[in-house]
Amino acid sequence: MMFEASRAKALNQLNNFIDNGLAEYSKLRNFDFGPEKRNNISCLSPYITHGIINEKEVIQKALSKFSFSKNEKFIQEVLWRTYWKGWLELRPNVWTDYLIELNQIKNEFQNNKNYLSAIEGKTDIECFNEWVKELKENNYLHNHTRMWFASIWIFTLELPWQLGAEFFMQNLYDGDAASNTLGWRWVAGIQTQGKHYLASEWNIKKFTNNRFQNIKLNENAPPKISEKSYQIIKQDFTNPQNIEEKNLLIFDNNLSFEITDFKEKNFKKIYLVSNKNENRSIKLSEKLVKFKSQLIEDQGQRLKNQSIDFQLIDISEVTNIENCYGLYPTVGENLDFLNSNNLKVDYLYRSLDQLAWQYCNKGFFNFKNYIPKIVSTFN
């Protein structure tokens, strides 16, 4: 399984899935048949995460093939990431606290044998070891497998969820602060207090088509407990009424300027901003850094083809740029750097996020009720 770093490849993947995989998606989506057989899922998340393609065009493409009712499960899964981002935007301290906890735990576990065995794929659990190998080689895991992986990490190997979330962020092509952090919290039982996810042998066997046998897990572990609770912090996601002719910063979550809400606006110069490991709390694998760099370069090539003036810069160089807007990078490492340096950037928000994030004040089942309304605006 290969993820080529280009919008052209992303569109090919989208079209191929719509034509060949969408019809059976709801029926087959929970099966992990192995990294060589992924035609039952879209494999679009690495591209959506970086904005190479966006949720709107993915959903529109699906609706051009089948009705909303036939596409409902797929549309819900596409918008899960939008929901997680909105949930975290309203409670940004969850991300801040996670990084603090991670920093404290890392020192304690840096020489822990169980932890080292886990990240090296040398545990007594065959399927887990295979998934570690797959994660490092392909920088991707099936969504159902991510749940099993996290559950085994937390409840069978008895390792801190914070370290598992870091391991995913270091390697996943589609890792982002919201979906990754909140997903691990959910498995642990602290995202929805008292409700955790326990992997079971029968479930893994069934949905891997019996690829693994003799899976010994702790299937009776209680959920993790957290005394912290987070109140919603009111945020303003409105855009300026009149967007002036300023410079524009584009980060690695919005790498398709030609399909943004702001493509018709006049900007002095566009800066494509990369964020190498020097400025990150969670150090990424070399393959992930390279993937992000190639995606940024691909955006640059498309801007060049349109005769749009741009420059590739490191995030540390943003401090030298004045009078600029920024396509909003969302809660995470990029925003952390800007805030820690007290940089004054006027953010521009996607219309989808402005609409959807207001419904992220509660759980996903509440958010799900608004999906038809959200989708109706796409036309």
Side-chain angles (χ1 to χ4, degrees):
M1 183 174 60
M2 297 286 292
F3 290 100
E4 295 180 25
S6 74
R7 175 165 165 80
K9 178 61 178 179
L11 290 174
N12 285 341
Q13 179 67 27
L14 171 60
N15 292 331
N16 180 62
F17 172 72
I18 296 299
D19 290 339
N20 302 303
L22 183 59
E24 297 293 307
Y25 176 78
S26 296
K27 179 181 177 181
L28 299 177
R29 56 178 288 271
N30 281 326
F31 285 89
D32 182 349
F33 298 116
E36 305 306 320
K37 190 178 179 182
R38 290 278 183 245
N39 57 340
N40 61 314
I41 55 175
S42 74
C43 293
L44 293 171
S45 54
Y47 301 118
I48 296 174
T49 298
H50 293 94
I52 295 298
I53 55 177
N54 64 32
E55 302 92 327
K56 181 178 178 180
E57 64 179 321
V58 171
I59 292 172
Q60 284 179 319
K61 188 73 176 179
L63 290 173
S64 71
K65 184 77 171 181
F66 299 118
S67 66
F68 178 86
S69 60
K70 280 195 170 185
N71 272 304
E72 189 167 11
K73 175 50 68 175
F74 177 65
I75 292 172
Q76 288 173 3
E77 293 303 308
V78 171
L79 291 177
W80 253 108
R81 192 171 293 268
T82 307
Y83 166 75
W84 278 138
K85 284 183 180 292
W87 194 97
L88 190 60
E89 290 296 330
L90 299 178
R91 305 162 184 85
N93 290 339
V94 172
W95 168 249
T96 305
D97 286 352
Y98 161 66
L99 291 180
I100 293 172
E101 294 165 8
L102 175 63
N103 189 53
Q104 295 170 341
I105 291 170
K106 284 175 68 172
N107 292 330
E108 179 184 347
F109 279 81
Q110 60 181 341
N111 296 315
N112 183 280
K113 291 183 179 180
N114 290 338
Y115 168 65
L116 295 176
S117 294
I119 63 174
E120 292 169 4
K122 296 180 179 179
T123 72
D124 295 329
I125 305 170
E126 178 194 357
C127 59
F128 184 88
N129 297 339
E130 285 295 314
W131 297 330
V132 170
K133 179 182 177 182
E134 183 182 341
L135 175 61
K136 291 181 177 180
E137 289 184 354
N138 298 332
N139 301 89
Y140 185 85
L141 286 176
H142 187 288
N143 187 62
H144 204 165
T145 298
R146 298 182 195 202
M147 295 163 59
W148 296 326
F149 187 108
S151 181
I152 292 171
W153 179 287
I154 297 168
F155 300 113
T156 298
L157 301 179
E158 298 183 333
L159 294 169
W161 71 266
Q162 295 91 339
L163 289 174
E166 178 194 40
F167 188 51
F168 269 17
M169 281 292 285
Q170 289 171 329
N171 292 283
L172 284 173
Y173 279 161
D174 61 5
D176 66 61
S179 60
N180 188 65
T181 308
L182 303 182
W184 276 84
R185 281 170 50 89
W186 180 80
V187 171
I190 59 175
Q191 180 67 17
T192 303
Q193 288 283 350
K195 183 179 180 180
H196 59 335
Y197 175 81
L198 280 176
S200 61
E201 183 177 19
W202 76 264
N203 190 264
I204 294 175
K205 284 183 177 180
K206 175 182 177 180
F207 288 103
T208 60
N209 210 18
N210 290 308
R211 286 192 293 128
F212 303 105
Q213 300 295 325
N214 194 30
I215 309 167
K216 301 301 181 183
L217 307 177
N218 183 354
E219 300 186 20
N220 298 296
K224 298 299 178 180
I225 298 173
S226 174
E227 296 180 356
K228 292 183 179 179
S229 61
Y230 296 91
Q231 301 300 315
I232 291 175
I233 299 176
K234 190 174 181 180
Q235 307 284 351
D236 183 7
F237 302 120
T238 57
N239 290 321
Q241 286 189 345
N242 297 307
I243 298 178
E244 303 171 13
E245 189 175 344
K246 297 181 180 181
N247 296 310
L248 179 67
L249 304 175
I250 298 180
F251 302 92
D252 60 14
N253 67 313
N254 272 306
L255 295 174
S256 53
F257 176 73
E258 60 269 44
I259 59 169
T260 67
D261 302 319
F262 313 101
K263 60 183 180 295
E264 303 300 331
K265 303 297 181 181
N266 292 320
F267 298 101
K268 291 182 179 178
K269 190 168 188 175
I270 290 178
Y271 292 90
L272 302 180
V273 185
S274 64
N275 188 353
K276 304 294 185 353
N277 275 331
E278 290 80 2
N279 297 301
R280 290 181 178 272
S281 299
I282 296 176
K283 308 305 181 186
L284 309 180
S285 69
E286 290 183 11
K287 287 176 65 180
L288 181 49
V289 170
K290 182 178 180 180
F291 183 70
K292 288 178 177 290
S293 296
Q294 289 175 332
L295 290 175
I296 291 172
E297 290 170 4
D298 181 67
Q299 169 70 104
Q301 184 60 53
R302 283 179 277 120
L303 292 176
K304 184 178 180 179
N305 293 342
Q306 299 171 67
S307 300
I308 297 176
D309 188 24
F310 76 95
Q311 182 176 340
L312 300 173
I313 63 169
D314 183 76
I315 197 168
S316 60
E317 299 176 75
V318 171
T319 56
N320 301 322
I321 301 172
E322 298 179 348
N323 196 31
C324 62
Y325 292 112
L327 298 185
Y328 184 58
T330 70
V331 171
E333 299 268 22
N334 290 329
L335 188 62
D336 288 347
F337 179 86
L338 300 177
N339 290 339
S340 65
N341 286 277
N342 297 314
L343 295 176
K344 295 182 179 179
V345 179
D346 294 321
Y347 293 119
L348 302 177
Y349 300 92
R350 303 189 311 165
S351 58
L352 171 60
D353 297 332
Q354 290 176 308
L355 174 61
W357 288 354
Q358 64 183 307
Y359 305 125
C360 298
N361 54 332
K362 298 179 182 178
F364 182 78
F365 287 104
N366 177 73
F367 175 83
K368 189 166 62 174
N369 294 329
Y370 295 97
I371 287 179
K373 180 179 180 180
I374 294 170
V375 172
S376 70
T377 67
F378 290 179
N379 295 322

